[in-house]
Amino acid sequence: MILEGNDPATQPSFTIGNRLARALWGVSWLLLFRPSPRPLHAWRRALLRLFGTRMGEHVHVYAGVRIWAPWQLTLGDRVGIADGVTLYNMAPMTIGNDCTLSQGAYLCGGSHDINSANFQLVAHPINLADHVWVCAEAFVGPGVYIANGCVVGARAVVMKDINQPWTVWGGHPAVQLKTRRPRSST
């Protein structure tokens, strides 16, 4: 998908197929997804599935969500993604069951290699385990894994894996603030 060894100042960074798919998704997002009324989650789920998103049951993706490549997105059951969230999924992105992404959260799967002469574009998967809450305006960087039951506080910046389940994180860079009780299974 990402072209390597090119001059990003004069050449595209992505294959023509990828650029065409993103253009088609962009037009569909603008005309069909974004203007859809707030309660029409089924309509937005259908559009996302049409563009290759794999998702479970009871998923609520609001109309103000920006998704870079729906075909690289996997959503579990009972996922809520609020208005203003950006899923910059240049690589596969997986959001587990019972996850919530609050307003303005930004999950960024792409960056640049600062050691290459042309700042080569790179992409890394993001994986949120089950019961994760990424709070308002928090940032999750490329290649990050967040363990089961974690909460990433408002405006926190997560650039490294969080492997400790049922913990609360905040700050820039995010540090562990406390633990939380595991959700009992019912």
Side-chain angles (χ1 to χ4, degrees):
M1 175 170 77
I2 296 176
L3 301 173
E4 294 188 26
N6 64 332
D7 178 1
T10 60
Q11 298 171 312
S13 295
F14 296 92
T15 64
I16 187 70
N18 179 273
R19 289 182 284 149
L20 289 172
R22 285 188 293 117
L24 181 59
W25 165 243
V27 169
S28 299
W29 180 86
L30 184 66
L31 299 176
L32 302 172
F33 190 94
R34 178 69 181 109
S36 63
R38 191 166 178 81
L40 290 186
H41 297 292
W43 169 253
R44 290 186 292 277
R45 283 192 301 266
L47 284 172
L48 289 171
R49 283 186 174 117
L50 180 67
F51 278 89
T53 300
R54 292 161 303 285
M55 71 178 77
E57 299 295 320
H58 308 291
V59 172
H60 290 173
V61 178
Y62 286 86
V65 174
R66 295 297 315 243
I67 301 169
W68 195 79
W71 50 90
Q72 298 216 96
L73 182 60
T74 302
L75 305 172
D77 295 330
R78 298 168 304 282
V79 170
I81 305 177
D83 281 322
V85 169
T86 298
L87 303 178
Y88 190 42
N89 57 333
M90 298 171 75
M93 185 176 289
T94 302
I95 298 170
N97 298 323
D98 302 295
C99 287
T100 300
L101 304 181
S102 292
Q103 292 82 355
Y106 199 112
L107 279 63
C108 181
S111 188
H112 296 270
D113 179 356
I114 61 170
N115 293 314
S116 75
N118 68 348
F119 295 115
Q120 177 63 53
L121 189 61
V122 294
H124 301 285
I126 292 175
N127 186 356
L128 307 185
D130 297 343
H131 307 287
V132 170
W133 177 16
V134 179
C135 296
E137 297 185 0
F139 181 89
V140 177
V144 168
Y145 165 79
I146 299 179
N148 194 45
C150 288
V151 174
V152 176
R155 295 200 170 177
V157 175
V158 180
M159 296 300 292
K160 295 181 180 176
D161 289 351
I162 296 176
N163 293 306
Q164 300 83 4
W166 300 99
T167 52
V168 178
W169 294 74
H172 179 193
V175 295
Q176 183 178 337
L177 302 175
K178 59 176 120 178
T179 59
R180 58 189 291 251
R181 282 181 289 157
R183 179 179 174 180
S184 62
S185 47
T186 53

